[in-house]
Amino acid sequence: MVQWSDRSSPVQAVTPDPARTSSPSHQSRTPSGKPPRRSKAAASTPAAPARPVAITIPAIGVRSVLAPLGLNPDGTVEVPTDPAAAGWYELGTRPGAMGSAVILGHVDSREGPAVFYLLSTLNAGDAVDVRLADGASARFRVSSVRTYANAQFPADQVYAAEGARVLNLVTCGGAYDAERGGYQANVVVAARWVRTRQG
């Protein structure tokens, strides 16, 4: 079953349990499903924005550099090695380009809350800013916050949506079950592009 909550309504999103922190190795279990492969050339055409290097989410106090993420040998998406830093899926769309760009981050680690610990508390309209390598800044605004059970993670929608400039932020969520490998769901924050300004 797909579990979801839209923060534009009074439904409460899942909040991570700090008493059940997991190690980064547990959270290397990336969102269910395997994204379609895209060549780096397709993601970096002359018309594409510069690569993203940092993200800021004022509503939850996030300021992080962005590490490039690719694919594991089994075809799943890599996750950041540093729980305090987020990462951009570099085989997909660049933030601000047509399509769905994806940034991932841990919700917690053995040391405590991680970069996206408060991601599920965002609300529709909250701002997300992505700084690009050429000094430009792409502004997005949150349109939805949803939690999907791992088995129902919509990989095609998250990684390969077309027809709009979308940024998807992904972290772990739902119930924590150590015997089953960690969190049993994923929080996906969808944000719509507003503008890109040169620095």
Side-chain angles (χ1 to χ4, degrees):
M1 174 182 293
V2 176
Q3 302 172 340
W4 66 273
S5 59
D6 188 332
R7 295 297 296 197
S8 62
S9 70
V11 180
Q12 183 175 0
V14 175
T15 300
D17 183 348
R20 299 181 180 178
T21 54
S22 61
S23 68
S25 62
H26 279 161
Q27 295 180 344
S28 64
R29 291 179 176 272
T30 52
S32 302
K34 298 178 181 180
R37 288 181 177 272
R38 291 186 61 192
S39 68
K40 288 188 178 181
S44 57
T45 60
R51 63 182 178 84
V53 295
I55 184 172
T56 302
I57 312 175
I60 56 174
V62 167
R63 294 177 63 89
S64 172
V65 297
L66 290 173
L69 303 174
L71 293 174
N72 293 308
D74 65 357
T76 58
V77 179
E78 293 177 334
V79 295
T81 57
D82 181 358
W88 162 63
Y89 177 58
E90 67 173 345
L91 301 181
T93 301
R94 293 183 175 187
M98 191 66 70
S100 53
V102 181
I103 291 176
L104 303 95
H106 292 289
V107 67
D108 58 25
S109 71
R110 292 192 185 279
E111 287 68 45
V115 63
F116 279 174
Y117 182 70
L118 295 177
L119 194 71
S120 66
T121 69
L122 286 172
N123 292 288
D126 285 340
V128 179
D129 292 311
V130 179
R131 182 160 54 84
L132 308 179
D134 62 359
S137 179
R139 164 66 60 91
F140 298 82
R141 289 204 178 274
V142 172
S143 56
S144 66
V145 180
R146 296 177 177 175
T147 301
Y148 297 94
N150 286 344
Q152 300 295 331
F153 185 81
D156 287 344
Q157 175 183 330
V158 171
Y159 289 96
E162 298 179 352
R165 294 176 172 87
V166 178
L167 174 64
N168 290 317
L169 311 176
V170 183
T171 194
C172 295
Y176 181 85
D177 186 337
E179 294 184 355
R180 297 174 65 188
Y183 286 105
Q184 299 303 298
N186 286 277
V187 175
V188 178
V189 173
R192 294 282 181 171
W193 178 80
V194 177
R195 63 176 181 269
T196 299
R197 287 183 174 174
Q198 296 300 316

